[in-house]
Amino acid sequence: MSSLPITLEEEEAFNALDKQVAGNHYKDLPIQPVEYIHANAMGYLERNVVKYVSRWRKKNGIADLEKAKHYIELLIELETRRADSGSL
């Protein structure tokens, strides 16, 4: 392991939040969805709602809103089942 200091440019090159593969629909946002999701320890269905609602204007338009709506419907259905079974 090298003891040489890391330059600012090298440090930024390793910052995963500064890099987005395929597009810039998340990177250009003031708060990246992944940061919000991680900070709030969200589950799979909730993560997808945040993802699709955050990107719909810059990526797939109404199709992304439909995907977000579908994940909300899934979450409602699964949580309703859980509540009905008494396993809250």
Side-chain angles (χ1 to χ4, degrees), residues 44 50 58 67 83:
Y44 176 77
V50 170
K58 291 189 174 192
K67 290 175 186 178

Side-chain angles (χ1 to χ4, degrees), residues 1 19 40 52 59-60 68:
M1 186 160 175
K19 178 172 84 171
N40 290 285
Y52 288 121
K59 191 159 185 200
N60 296 319

Side-chain angles (χ1 to χ4, degrees), residues 11-36:
E11 184 176 329
E12 288 175 356
F14 292 111
N15 187 347
L17 290 172
D18 289 336
K19 178 172 84 171
Q20 181 177 331
V21 177
N24 62 358
H25 46 276
Y26 298 125
K27 191 172 176 278
D28 289 345
L29 296 172
I31 299 169
Q32 288 196 34
V34 70
E35 293 175 277
Y36 177 80

Side-chain angles (χ1 to χ4, degrees), residues 5-81:
I6 296 175
T7 68
L8 180 59
E9 291 81 17
E10 290 170 325
E11 184 176 329
E12 288 175 356
F14 292 111
N15 187 347
L17 290 172
D18 289 336
K19 178 172 84 171
Q20 181 177 331
V21 177
N24 62 358
H25 46 276
Y26 298 125
K27 191 172 176 278
D28 289 345
L29 296 172
I31 299 169
Q32 288 196 34
V34 70
E35 293 175 277
Y36 177 80
I37 290 164
H38 183 73
N40 290 285
M42 295 181 144
Y44 176 77
L45 299 173
E46 297 158 306
R47 290 191 302 251
N48 281 311
V49 171
V50 170
K51 175 179 79 169
Y52 288 121
V53 168
S54 296
R55 76 181 201 186
W56 78 275
R57 285 184 182 92
K58 291 189 174 192
K59 191 159 185 200
N60 296 319
I62 299 299
D64 278 346
L65 293 177
E66 291 291 341
K67 290 175 186 178
K69 181 173 122 180
H70 179 68
Y71 281 105
I72 291 170
E73 290 168 345
L74 287 168
L75 185 58
I76 290 169
E77 182 175 327
L78 293 171
E79 290 300 316
T80 300
R81 284 185 193 175

